[in-house]
Amino acid sequence: MKNYALALIPGDGIGVDVTDAAMKVMQAAAARFGFGLTLETFPWSCNYYHETGAMMPEDGIETLRGFDAVFLGAVGWPETVPDSVSLHGLLLPIRKAFNQYANIRPHRLLNGVEGPLKASGFDILCIRENTEGEYSGAGGRVHQGKGNEVAVETSVFTREGVERILRFGFEQARSRRKHLTSVTKSNAQKYSMVFWDEVTRELATEYSDVTVSHMHIDAMAAKMVMAPEQLDVVVASNLFGDILTDLGAAIQGGLGFAASANINPDRSSPSMFEPVHGSAPDIAGKNIANPIAAIWSGAMMLDHLGETDAANAVLAAIELATAQGIGIRPGLHSTDQITTAILGALEK
Ligand code: NAD
């Protein structure tokens, strides 16, 4: 029997609740489809930061390297730890160290879920560059706290980084409806984004079966509201992808439905799976967080591990539950009720 070793980082707030829910469903899927999941939980979080002065131990990355995949809930507790510290102390280092350069986020309405738009037939795959760009962490501050203080933060776009994320997007488009939209702001950002556009045009010649559109981020934001059904695969930089996928979450009914995978496509190190949402301090500990985004992220993990039937069954179980109205609106059902409904549907 195949067995997969999973590293779990529940993190903070509702990250703990949704990770627990997702792992119940993953274990049920493993039992049904005849493979094993061995889970090891790591307490790395803002609490851990309070206890140790770091978001994870110095050898944290090396510890995770031996696992088949990492599953993360959410990280951040802004009341006690600045978000810049928690994000740069855990999530971003993992994405960079493991070269998880493709952050994949699907946006579509699950059966039974009503979004805020009239449009309902959209099916968008957002692919966000995940290791460089605006989140490269290159910069600094001088004269801190003084009147002449200066803060500089530089975006870093390398040919390797831009080419590989676009190539990944073209491949995804090939396996879907063969349309790729590359999102930049090359009218205003005349070096990095013009460079991105050039690389897109170069690669487009290799993928002549894929239709390519170029859009500026502002126009894209409007399009995702006005005509989302015209979009297929969308590729964007780290910051633009981050923002657009919260918009994607909104049009698919809310952050409780937005799943994501941080993929290392060459599989030289583990990939990481996590819902798009954060730790939601406003609802933490109330058993009302929607676990669907986390469970869907778990399905993406199973798919990545090669357990495609199990992945499809989990997604089908989510939609069996939502088709019956379970979890389709905030506060309608508890985290436990939604999880139980999905577990029940998985047995059918
Ligand atoms: P958030 O995603 O935590 O919450 C935004 C809003 O959406 C809140 O009103 C919340 O209640 C709601 N929400 C989110 N997930 C939900 C779910 N599963 N079910 C029901 N409602 C849900 O974003 P935020 O408030 O901007 O950030 C809170 C903390 O999380 C911050 O520390 C932030 O840095 C961190 N954060 C972490 C990640 C991550 O770990 N990947 C992502 C985003 C934010």
Side-chain angles (χ1 to χ4, degrees), residues 14 18 46 72-78 81 83-84 86-87 91 95 105 246 255-257 274-283 288-293 330:
I14 66 165
V18 300
C46 290
L72 185 134
V75 179
W77 204 255
V81 180
D83 281 346
S84 56
S86 54
L87 189 65
L91 198 50
R95 288 174 178 169
R105 299 180 165 185
D246 259 40
L255 278 161
F257 299 107
E274 49 164 343
V276 171
H277 64 73
S279 58
D282 53 338
I283 58 165
I288 54 171
N290 189 340
I292 288 179

Side-chain angles (χ1 to χ4, degrees), residues 158-177:
T158 65
R159 177 165 282 273
E160 184 192 8
V162 174
E163 195 175 313
R164 69 186 181 182
I165 194 64
L166 283 162
R167 200 174 279 287
F168 187 86
F170 275 108
E171 294 292 340
Q172 293 293 319
R174 244 185 196 166
S175 69
R176 290 172 45 102
R177 302 193 304 281

Side-chain angles (χ1 to χ4, degrees), residues 93-158:
I94 297 174
R95 288 174 178 169
K96 284 180 192 165
F98 291 158
N99 229 354
Q100 295 165 348
Y101 65 82
N103 188 327
I104 308 177
R105 299 180 165 185
H107 301 297
R108 67 177 177 83
L109 285 169
L110 295 171
N111 280 339
V113 177
E114 283 178 15
L117 305 180
K118 277 191 194 147
S120 59
F122 56 88
D123 178 0
I124 306 170
L125 191 69
C126 271
I127 297 170
R128 162 185 171 192
E129 200 294 318
N130 215 24
T131 54
E132 54 174 48
E134 306 87 344
Y135 293 0
S136 64
R141 286 171 70 173
V142 287
H143 310 306
Q144 233 166 307
K146 303 206 180 97
N148 59 343
E149 181 165 0
V150 179
V152 179
E153 188 139 11
T154 307
S155 299
V156 175
F157 288 87
T158 65

Side-chain angles (χ1 to χ4, degrees), residues 205-223:
T205 61
E206 283 180 45
Y207 293 90
S208 52
D209 52 328
V210 175
T211 316
V212 179
S213 304
H214 296 260
M215 288 199 74
H216 292 149
I217 178 74
D218 38 0
M220 183 64 182
K223 183 153 188 158

Side-chain angles (χ1 to χ4, degrees), residues 251-273:
I251 66 170
Q252 74 186 129
L255 278 161
F257 299 107
S260 89
N262 302 275
I263 299 289
N264 171 326
D266 68 19
R267 295 174 184 261
S268 55
S269 42
S271 293
M272 177 165 66
F273 301 82

Side-chain angles (χ1 to χ4, degrees), residues 34-84:
F35 58 92
L37 291 176
T38 305
L39 314 180
E40 189 172 342
T41 303
F42 297 92
W44 306 338
S45 60
C46 290
N47 277 341
Y48 186 87
Y49 181 86
H50 273 297
E51 285 161 18
T52 66
M55 290 298 294
M56 66 173 156
E58 255 178 44
D59 63 353
I61 295 290
E62 285 322 301
T63 303
L64 295 178
R65 200 179 287 282
F67 287 84
D68 292 309
V70 180
F71 191 92
L72 185 134
V75 179
W77 204 255
E79 240 178 58
T80 55
V81 180
D83 281 346
S84 56

